[in-house]
Amino acid sequence: MTRRAPTLEDVAREAGVSRATVSRVVNGIRNVDPAIQEAVRDAIERTGYAPNRAARALVTRRAETIALVVSGARDDSEDEQDAFASRVLADPFFGRVVSGVIRFLRPRSMYPVLMFAGTETARQEVVAYLRQGRADGALIFSTHAEDPLPVLLASEDLPCVLFARPATPVPVTYVDLAHRDGARLAAEHLLARGCRRVATITGPLDLPAAQDRLAGFRETMERHGHPYVPVAEGGFTVESGAAAMTRLLSEHPAIDGVFAANDLMAQGVCQVLHERGRRVPQDVAVVGFDDSGVAVSCRPPLTTVRQPMEEMAATMARLLQEEIEGARNEPTTVIFDPELVVRGSA
């Protein structure tokens, strides 16, 4: 026997409200108490109810689809674009982003569509996709400081929310982390451990997040009597972290503490230290940034600065929904606070 699909009536009984109330929540009508909306969404998840998207679209005049766009600034070849997409999909950072977005969208019967915009043609395709109403808005994750897509979307007045502060001011809503505060936590922890010859490995310094992490780390070290911190630039990958650590050890062999600006680079740091016979953390303490899955799988597990990616991504989706529904007309920002997670590496 085929199991009957859940109906609006089933959701109404589960939530303890009327069928009309459930219909208003499903169709995005805003005159419903927030607590009741949440109760209905919980009931939808428990019952497994799936609204008829075609019928709902006739009422809301929306696609019920959100574009999840990974964008850059270069005009890459097709092979380079394929390689870029593979790197993004393999990055634990992006997996946490998708998890947070889906967690918000699923109870609201909204769906993400993944798009890559690594060329001018691809960026124009994103703009056309949104302009034609095939998606109601976009969540933008820029991988390059000079990414022109945010400006394009703002000039077209298309709903979008950015992850991270843009390098050039754009009248667009964004969600970010207090990166300087996170770097301060890393510096203070290394100093509290007794580290005195501390170095740092940055991300690409054309990115505001990498600049802020470096500035916050340097400022904190200066305030504690350390005017000079050796710096090597990395690329947010394991390989770049290993290469940067190799350079630092050749120039500053007495290093006893390292702050790497993300967990992947910190993993590369640990690999090089193990190869050189340096114990972590006894000889060199290592602190990463992000608190990704890499932090737990690394040996020893990484002490790291937690970036609450799932919450940040869900907040992006919420802000985009507000913009789509007209609940907010002006750009805004939400800045999250970092947290130090202490494990075995420092």
Side-chain angles (χ1 to χ4, degrees):
M1 294 180 62
T2 302
R3 183 177 179 272
R4 179 178 65 85
T7 64
L8 281 179
E9 288 77 8
D10 296 326
V11 176
R13 278 194 297 272
E14 182 73 20
V17 299
S18 69
R19 183 187 187 283
T21 297
V22 174
S23 179
R24 286 199 296 273
V25 173
V26 168
N27 289 319
I29 298 172
R30 293 173 53 205
N31 63 339
V32 180
D33 183 270
I36 294 176
Q37 290 185 42
E38 197 60 37
V40 170
R41 287 173 183 139
D42 288 344
I44 288 172
E45 194 152 13
R46 289 195 299 272
T47 60
Y49 172 73
N52 183 315
R53 293 186 68 202
R56 182 177 172 182
L58 288 174
V59 176
T60 63
R61 301 193 179 203
R62 295 202 294 268
E64 308 299 340
T65 297
I66 298 300
L68 192 61
V69 185
V70 182
S71 183
R74 301 183 306 172
D75 281 337
D76 294 334
S77 69
E78 190 169 333
D79 287 344
E80 289 172 329
Q81 291 179 66
D82 290 343
F84 170 70
S86 297
R87 288 196 302 273
V88 168
L89 295 175
D91 193 321
F93 176 95
F94 189 67
R96 294 175 64 194
V97 166
V98 173
S99 174
V101 170
I102 291 176
R103 183 183 304 171
F104 179 86
L105 295 180
R106 184 169 49 207
R108 295 159 178 82
S109 299
M110 300 170 72
Y111 302 90
V113 56
L114 179 60
M115 305 181 76
F116 290 94
T119 67
E120 178 59 25
T121 299
R123 287 188 285 274
Q124 291 298 334
E125 287 174 354
V126 170
V127 172
Y129 196 85
L130 294 170
R131 193 190 295 128
Q132 293 163 8
R134 298 168 68 186
D136 298 314
L139 302 176
I140 308 296
F141 299 85
S142 291
T143 60
H144 197 284
E146 297 176 4
D147 181 10
L149 184 59
V151 175
L152 286 174
L153 296 176
S155 66
E156 294 276 350
D157 199 25
L158 294 167
C160 67
V161 175
L162 307 186
F163 181 86
R165 170 173 57 90
T168 302
V170 183
V172 171
T173 292
Y174 67 85
V175 171
D176 207 345
L177 187 80
H179 296 283
R180 288 180 182 240
D181 291 345
R184 174 181 55 78
L185 293 174
E188 289 175 348
H189 183 73
L190 289 170
L191 291 170
R193 281 189 55 89
C195 297
R196 292 297 176 265
R197 295 175 296 278
V198 179
T200 184
I201 298 173
T202 75
L205 287 175
D206 60 339
L207 295 177
Q211 296 167 10
D212 288 348
R213 292 176 196 180
L214 175 59
F217 192 77
R218 275 178 163 165
E219 288 169 3
T220 304
M221 295 299 293
E222 287 170 359
R223 289 187 178 189
H224 288 81
H226 298 268
Y228 173 69
V229 175
V231 176
E233 185 175 354
F236 285 146
T237 64
V238 174
E239 296 77 15
S240 69
M245 190 64 210
T246 300
R247 293 196 301 274
L248 285 171
L249 284 175
S250 67
E251 298 169 5
H252 308 277
I255 286 171
D256 63 1
V258 177
F259 167 51
N262 83 334
D263 291 341
L264 288 172
M265 293 194 300
Q267 184 181 40
V269 168
C270 290
Q271 290 175 358
V272 169
L273 291 172
H274 291 321
E275 292 168 2
R276 299 293 182 89
R278 304 284 185 96
R279 297 171 300 166
V280 178
Q282 294 92 334
D283 299 327
V284 183
V286 179
V287 177
F289 204 108
D290 284 340
D291 195 25
S292 64
V294 170
V296 179
S297 63
C298 188
R299 290 294 174 265
L302 287 174
T303 290
T304 185
V305 177
R306 181 171 186 269
Q307 185 167 200
M309 288 304 311
E310 293 84 355
E311 298 168 50
M312 294 170 73
T315 297
M316 289 177 68
R318 174 180 62 79
L319 292 171
L320 183 60
Q321 183 189 40
E322 290 176 1
E323 188 171 337
I324 291 167
E325 294 180 349
R328 180 178 43 76
N329 296 317
E330 295 297 324
T332 188
T333 61
V334 177
I335 309 298
F336 282 77
D337 292 321
E339 175 187 355
L340 184 71
V341 180
V342 179
R343 296 193 180 94
S345 69

